[in-house]
Amino acid sequence: MPIDLSHEPRVEELARRTARFVREVVVPEEERYGGVAAAGGEELRGRLQAAAKQAGLFAPHVALEYGGHGLDMRGRAAVFEEAGWSLFGPLALNIAAPDEGNMHLLEAVSTHPQREHYLRPLAQGEVRSCFAMTEPAPGAGSDPTALSTRATKVAGGWRIDGRKWFITGADGAAFAICMARTSGEPGDRGGATMFLVDVDNPGMKIIRHIDTLDESLFGGHCEMVFDDCVVPDDAVLGEVDKGYDYAQVRLGPARMTHCMRWLGIARRAQEIALARASERELFGSRLGDLGMVQGMIADSEIDIAAARALTLQACWELDRGRSAAQSTAIAKAFTAEAVWRVVDRALQVCGSLGVSGDVLLGRFLREVRPFRIYDGPTETHRWAIARRALRGSRAHGNVT
């Protein structure tokens, strides 16, 4: 079947308006705060999101009934990449992690009352959220089946006990989507359930902010404890023991939206490198006339184009209801490494300027490096890609 990677006119127009908005409205705020979202606080978030609403760009991924544009995955790719031109662009459009992924999950899985109580205010930017799955070792991480947080049935609800960490956006979130084991033992491939936990629940506490390389994601990366955290039966998201199935509903698309956003930063870094290579003169010629610099620029162009194509192919499969497990893993593994290479080359081309605070390349480098670990490290994805390829080879009788 032919793969159509083109965009509808309305998507192209929305992407163009997003690009203009980010450059004119968002980038000055990003430069003012050095790319650190927490430095601007809720006042910055409110100001940026109000401007995005006024520009008609807010929540492009959410269904029309919740105030969004209802874009499919391919449509999001074009708009999210333009928003990702600035570290604050996704925050402005309300498409930053983890809220964007949580909106997608809630649209797909929640009941109508849950959508009204959690999704609608989240989609409108009135509240923020977090997704509490990752645990300190030996708990859930690259291997989600190691989940050790446990939910025990009690009268009228469930009691959740466990420890989570690297929970993005937890500080200031109105609610958490918590993954807990409701049957089986750590290592079992089933038995997980998702729970909606409100911030005022006395059994859910933030212990600390984890000091990390990246600082552009609002609400930080936190360590949390669920201790005798009792929630009602209607806090269950979806069905009991189906949490791993729902995680795939969220994680595959969320990996692709990460790729889209970071592609925007890669393009920004490349533009900074191109400007520097065009204007800087040394050894009697422009920097851009040197073969080694041309090689770096060409390699970055290739990385950006390849990452975009792989992401679009995966989105095309997701839009058709396919699992897209192999294509999303390939796109995520390649894009995470490619974006890092592009930003690193840009910094190298710019030399001393690149490591200075006069441009944000140093901040970009710190922000994109963790993407090679978040949403599954490259090594885990490579392992899964190889396993699927080998299974397919055996199924077709290609192994002698």
Side-chain angles (χ1 to χ4, degrees):
M1 179 183 296
I3 299 176
D4 183 5
L5 302 183
S6 62
H7 296 297
E8 300 174 12
R10 75 179 185 100
V11 172
E12 293 179 349
E13 191 268 339
L14 190 61
R16 283 193 296 269
R17 290 199 292 117
T18 299
R20 185 168 59 251
F21 171 79
V22 168
R23 286 159 179 77
E24 294 176 358
V25 177
V26 181
V27 167
E29 297 281 14
E30 176 198 54
E31 293 175 343
R32 175 184 177 187
Y33 294 105
V36 179
E42 280 292 334
E43 195 276 333
L44 169 66
R45 185 177 81 93
R47 187 167 66 249
L48 287 175
Q49 293 194 349
K53 288 178 181 178
Q54 185 175 9
L57 301 171
F58 198 70
H61 59 304
V62 177
L64 298 176
E65 65 179 298
Y66 298 108
H69 290 268
L71 298 184
D72 62 10
M73 290 300 295
R74 280 186 304 149
R76 294 175 203 184
V79 175
F80 281 33
E81 183 178 322
E82 295 298 346
W85 180 268
S86 166
L87 295 173
F88 290 178
L91 179 67
L93 268 65
N94 202 21
I95 59 170
D99 291 332
E100 176 267 325
N102 287 346
M103 290 180 229
H104 180 88
L105 176 64
L106 288 166
E107 278 199 86
V109 176
S110 64
T111 63
H112 178 72
Q114 288 172 338
R115 287 195 290 275
E116 290 301 311
H117 185 73
Y118 294 102
L119 174 58
R120 187 174 294 280
L122 185 63
Q124 294 174 356
E126 297 171 3
V127 300
R128 293 190 296 103
S129 64
C130 63
F131 186 75
M133 183 178 75
T134 306
E135 301 168 340
S142 297
D143 180 3
T145 66
L147 185 70
S148 61
T149 297
R150 188 165 293 276
T152 306
K153 192 72 180 75
V154 296
W158 297 82
R159 187 188 72 238
I160 306 171
D161 296 282
R163 184 177 291 264
K164 304 287 187 178
W165 78 335
F166 281 91
I167 308 307
T168 304
D171 190 0
F175 66 93
I177 300 175
C178 177
M179 283 271 285
R181 183 168 292 283
T182 43
S183 66
E185 300 297 330
D188 291 348
R189 296 190 64 83
T193 301
M194 291 185 178
F195 295 91
L196 293 158
V197 186
D198 293 321
V199 68
D200 60 359
N201 191 310
M204 181 176 70
K205 295 183 177 65
I206 294 175
I207 301 302
R208 64 174 175 131
H209 271 259
I210 300 170
D211 186 19
T212 61
L213 280 172
D214 57 329
E215 297 181 80
S216 68
L217 291 172
F218 209 83
H221 304 291
C222 298
E223 185 168 358
M224 306 174 68
V225 168
F226 293 81
D227 182 14
D228 196 22
C229 180
V230 178
V231 296
D233 282 323
D234 60 10
V236 173
L237 181 58
E239 297 181 37
V240 172
D241 285 349
K242 294 292 184 66
Y244 286 131
D245 294 337
Y246 302 141
Q248 294 310 308
V249 171
R250 183 187 189 279
L251 291 176
R255 287 176 180 135
M256 293 306 92
T257 53
H258 266 312
C259 291
M260 301 167 194
R261 291 185 292 256
W262 288 128
L263 266 172
I265 283 296
R267 286 176 48 216
R268 173 107 168 267
Q270 176 74 336
E271 182 164 296
I272 293 171
L274 288 169
R276 185 64 169 172
S278 297
E279 67 188 22
R280 178 74 166 112
E281 292 189 8
L282 70 170
F283 305 119
S285 64
R286 290 188 315 158
L287 187 61
D289 293 330
L290 299 177
M292 287 184 290
V293 172
Q294 291 176 351
M296 287 191 283
I297 289 172
D299 286 344
S300 290
E301 289 290 315
I302 292 167
D303 273 339
I304 291 169
R308 182 184 295 115
L310 289 170
T311 299
L312 281 170
Q313 178 177 335
C315 289
W316 182 85
E317 293 184 23
L318 288 168
D319 284 337
R320 275 148 187 76
R322 302 179 185 178
S323 74
Q326 187 76 333
S327 61
T328 56
I330 290 171
K332 197 280 178 180
F334 182 86
T335 302
E337 301 288 332
V339 167
W340 163 263
R341 291 192 296 264
V342 171
V343 177
D344 185 58
R345 289 189 199 109
L347 192 150
Q348 188 72 15
V349 168
C350 290
S352 57
L353 176 67
V355 299
S356 76
D358 291 354
V359 292
L360 286 177
L361 288 173
R363 169 54 53 198
F364 296 166
L365 200 70
R366 290 168 65 92
E367 296 298 324
V368 303
R369 179 58 181 87
F371 186 38
R372 294 166 62 190
I373 297 172
Y374 298 163
D375 281 346
T378 302
E379 292 75 15
T380 298
H381 286 295
R382 288 180 182 273
W383 170 73
I385 290 164
R387 288 186 67 196
R388 294 189 195 99
L390 288 166
R391 282 201 301 267
S393 180
R394 294 188 185 102
H396 289 87
N398 294 328
V399 177
T400 58

